[in-house]
Amino acid sequence: MSPKTDTKKTTKTIAGGFTADEKAAMKARAQELKAEARAGKDRAEGEKAILAAISAMKDPTDRSMGKRIHEIVTAAAPELMPKTWYGMPAYADADGKVICFFQAASKFGVRYATFGFQPDAKLDEGNMWAAAFALIKLTSAEEAKIIALVKKSVS
Protein backbone atom coordinates (compact mmCIF):
# COMPACT_ATOMS: atom_id res chain seq x y z
CA MET A 1 0.00 0.00 0.00
CA SER A 2 1.10 3.52 -0.63
CA PRO A 3 1.69 5.94 2.26
CA LYS A 4 -1.35 7.91 1.10
CA THR A 5 -3.59 4.85 1.54
CA ASP A 6 -2.09 4.11 4.95
CA THR A 7 -2.82 7.66 6.08
CA LYS A 8 -6.42 7.40 4.96
CA LYS A 9 -6.82 4.08 6.73
CA THR A 10 -5.30 5.43 9.96
CA THR A 11 -7.44 8.57 9.82
CA LYS A 12 -10.54 6.52 9.18
CA THR A 13 -9.70 4.15 12.04
CA ILE A 14 -9.05 7.00 14.46
CA ALA A 15 -12.14 8.93 13.40
CA GLY A 16 -14.36 5.86 13.62
CA GLY A 17 -12.86 4.61 16.87
CA PHE A 18 -14.81 6.72 19.35
CA THR A 19 -17.77 5.30 21.21
CA ALA A 20 -21.09 7.15 21.38
CA ASP A 21 -20.30 8.13 24.99
CA GLU A 22 -16.89 9.50 24.02
CA LYS A 23 -18.43 11.48 21.16
CA ALA A 24 -21.07 12.86 23.55
CA ALA A 25 -18.32 13.90 26.01
CA MET A 26 -16.44 15.72 23.24
CA LYS A 27 -19.64 17.46 22.14
CA ALA A 28 -20.34 18.46 25.74
CA ARG A 29 -16.81 19.86 26.03
CA ALA A 30 -17.27 21.95 22.87
CA GLN A 31 -20.49 23.37 24.31
CA GLU A 32 -18.72 24.08 27.62
CA LEU A 33 -16.00 26.05 25.85
CA LYS A 34 -18.62 28.18 24.10
CA ALA A 35 -20.47 28.74 27.40
CA GLU A 36 -17.22 29.66 29.18
CA ALA A 37 -16.43 32.24 26.53
CA ARG A 38 -19.87 33.81 27.05
CA ALA A 39 -19.93 33.62 30.85
CA GLY A 40 -16.32 34.51 31.60
CA LYS A 41 -15.44 33.72 35.19
CA ASP A 42 -18.97 33.78 36.54
CA ARG A 43 -19.20 31.64 39.69
CA ALA A 44 -23.00 31.55 39.59
CA GLU A 45 -23.00 30.23 36.01
CA GLY A 46 -20.41 27.59 36.93
CA GLU A 47 -22.44 26.56 39.96
CA LYS A 48 -25.58 26.33 37.83
CA ALA A 49 -23.77 24.20 35.22
CA ILE A 50 -22.39 21.81 37.85
CA LEU A 51 -25.75 21.35 39.56
CA ALA A 52 -27.37 20.67 36.17
CA ALA A 53 -24.66 18.11 35.35
CA ILE A 54 -25.16 16.40 38.70
CA SER A 55 -28.95 16.28 38.36
CA ALA A 56 -28.55 14.79 34.86
CA MET A 57 -26.49 11.84 36.14
CA LYS A 58 -28.31 8.57 35.43
CA ASP A 59 -27.41 6.76 38.63
CA PRO A 60 -28.64 7.93 42.07
CA THR A 61 -25.32 6.94 43.68
CA ASP A 62 -23.45 9.08 41.14
CA ARG A 63 -25.80 11.99 41.82
CA SER A 64 -25.38 11.79 45.60
CA MET A 65 -21.59 11.44 45.33
CA GLY A 66 -21.42 14.29 42.81
CA LYS A 67 -23.43 16.54 45.09
CA ARG A 68 -21.31 15.68 48.13
CA ILE A 69 -18.04 16.09 46.20
CA HIS A 70 -19.28 19.52 45.09
CA GLU A 71 -19.96 20.50 48.71
CA ILE A 72 -16.56 19.21 49.83
CA VAL A 73 -14.53 20.92 47.11
CA THR A 74 -16.29 24.28 47.40
CA ALA A 75 -15.79 24.26 51.19
CA ALA A 76 -12.16 23.04 51.08
CA ALA A 77 -11.04 25.33 48.25
CA PRO A 78 -13.50 28.21 47.77
CA GLU A 79 -11.02 29.89 45.44
CA LEU A 80 -11.61 27.22 42.80
CA MET A 81 -14.18 28.12 40.15
CA PRO A 82 -16.94 25.56 39.60
CA LYS A 83 -17.48 24.56 35.97
CA THR A 84 -18.23 21.51 33.90
CA TRP A 85 -15.55 19.65 32.01
CA TYR A 86 -16.58 17.03 29.45
CA GLY A 87 -20.04 17.26 31.00
CA MET A 88 -18.86 16.46 34.52
CA PRO A 89 -18.29 18.64 37.62
CA ALA A 90 -14.87 20.25 37.71
CA TYR A 91 -13.08 23.01 39.59
CA ALA A 92 -10.61 25.42 38.00
CA ASP A 93 -7.96 27.82 39.28
CA ALA A 94 -7.86 31.56 38.58
CA ASP A 95 -6.25 30.87 35.19
CA GLY A 96 -9.17 28.63 34.19
CA LYS A 97 -7.11 25.43 34.43
CA VAL A 98 -8.99 22.45 35.83
CA ILE A 99 -7.48 21.34 39.13
CA CYS A 100 -9.89 18.54 40.10
CA PHE A 101 -12.95 16.81 38.70
CA PHE A 102 -15.59 14.18 39.39
CA GLN A 103 -16.58 11.61 36.79
CA ALA A 104 -19.71 9.55 37.34
CA ALA A 105 -19.46 5.78 36.93
CA SER A 106 -22.53 5.86 34.70
CA LYS A 107 -20.86 8.32 32.31
CA PHE A 108 -18.95 5.54 30.61
CA GLY A 109 -20.62 2.49 32.14
CA VAL A 110 -17.78 1.58 34.49
CA ARG A 111 -18.00 0.11 37.98
CA TYR A 112 -16.70 3.11 39.93
CA ALA A 113 -16.83 6.90 39.85
CA THR A 114 -13.57 8.82 39.68
CA PHE A 115 -12.29 11.83 41.57
CA GLY A 116 -9.18 13.09 39.85
CA PHE A 117 -6.66 15.86 39.53
CA GLN A 118 -5.07 17.52 36.53
CA PRO A 119 -1.35 18.37 36.19
CA ASP A 120 -1.76 21.89 37.63
CA ALA A 121 -2.86 20.45 40.98
CA LYS A 122 0.01 20.75 43.43
CA LEU A 123 0.11 17.12 44.49
CA ASP A 124 3.67 16.29 43.45
CA GLU A 125 5.25 13.90 45.90
CA GLY A 126 8.60 12.45 44.89
CA ASN A 127 8.72 10.69 41.55
CA MET A 128 5.23 9.17 41.70
CA TRP A 129 1.83 10.12 43.14
CA ALA A 130 -1.80 9.29 42.55
CA ALA A 131 -3.71 11.63 40.26
CA ALA A 132 -7.13 9.90 40.28
CA PHE A 133 -9.10 7.83 42.73
CA ALA A 134 -11.84 5.25 42.24
CA LEU A 135 -14.94 5.92 44.34
CA ILE A 136 -17.62 3.36 45.08
CA LYS A 137 -18.95 4.99 48.23
CA LEU A 138 -18.26 8.17 50.18
CA THR A 139 -17.78 7.70 53.90
CA SER A 140 -16.24 10.14 56.35
CA ALA A 141 -12.84 8.50 55.73
CA GLU A 142 -12.97 9.15 51.97
CA GLU A 143 -14.32 12.65 52.55
CA ALA A 144 -11.38 13.44 54.85
CA LYS A 145 -8.91 12.21 52.20
CA ILE A 146 -10.61 14.29 49.50
CA ILE A 147 -10.56 17.40 51.70
CA ALA A 148 -6.83 16.96 52.39
CA LEU A 149 -6.02 16.36 48.71
CA VAL A 150 -8.08 19.33 47.50
CA LYS A 151 -6.44 21.62 50.05
CA LYS A 152 -3.00 20.36 49.03
CA SER A 153 -3.82 20.75 45.34
CA VAL A 154 -4.31 24.51 45.73
CA SER A 155 -1.56 25.17 48.31
Side-chain angles (χ1 to χ4, degrees), residues 31 41 65 71:
Q31 291 171 340
K41 293 185 178 187
M65 279 200 291
E71 293 166 352

mmCIF file of all heavy atoms in Angstrom, residues 31 41 65 71:
data_model
loop_
_atom_site.group_PDB
_atom_site.id
_atom_site.type_symbol
_atom_site.label_atom_id
_atom_site.label_comp_id
_atom_site.label_asym_id
_atom_site.label_seq_id
_atom_site.Cartn_x
_atom_site.Cartn_y
_atom_site.Cartn_z
ATOM 1 N N GLN A 31 -19.447 22.478 23.813
ATOM 2 C CA GLN A 31 -20.492 23.371 24.315
ATOM 3 C C GLN A 31 -20.007 24.126 25.553
ATOM 4 O O GLN A 31 -20.317 25.300 25.729
ATOM 5 C CB GLN A 31 -21.762 22.581 24.625
ATOM 6 C CG GLN A 31 -22.448 22.059 23.385
ATOM 7 C CD GLN A 31 -23.581 21.090 23.702
ATOM 8 O OE1 GLN A 31 -23.654 20.523 24.782
ATOM 9 N NE2 GLN A 31 -24.459 20.891 22.729
ATOM 10 N N LYS A 41 -15.696 34.395 33.920
ATOM 11 C CA LYS A 41 -15.444 33.719 35.191
ATOM 12 C C LYS A 41 -16.595 33.998 36.145
ATOM 13 O O LYS A 41 -16.429 34.607 37.186
ATOM 14 C CB LYS A 41 -14.104 34.173 35.760
ATOM 15 C CG LYS A 41 -12.935 33.721 34.912
ATOM 16 C CD LYS A 41 -11.623 34.071 35.544
ATOM 17 C CE LYS A 41 -10.496 33.546 34.680
ATOM 18 N NZ LYS A 41 -9.204 33.708 35.307
ATOM 19 N N MET A 65 -23.035 11.211 45.190
ATOM 20 C CA MET A 65 -21.590 11.438 45.327
ATOM 21 C C MET A 65 -21.188 12.750 44.671
ATOM 22 O O MET A 65 -20.392 13.509 45.231
ATOM 23 C CB MET A 65 -20.788 10.283 44.734
ATOM 24 C CG MET A 65 -20.673 9.111 45.674
ATOM 25 S SD MET A 65 -19.308 7.986 45.278
ATOM 26 C CE MET A 65 -19.865 7.267 43.762
ATOM 27 N N GLU A 71 -19.960 19.836 47.394
ATOM 28 C CA GLU A 71 -19.961 20.498 48.706
ATOM 29 C C GLU A 71 -18.567 20.488 49.328
ATOM 30 O O GLU A 71 -18.108 21.498 49.878
ATOM 31 C CB GLU A 71 -20.954 19.808 49.641
ATOM 32 C CG GLU A 71 -22.401 19.970 49.228
ATOM 33 C CD GLU A 71 -23.354 19.018 49.945
ATOM 34 O OE1 GLU A 71 -22.885 18.106 50.682
ATOM 35 O OE2 GLU A 71 -24.569 19.169 49.759
#
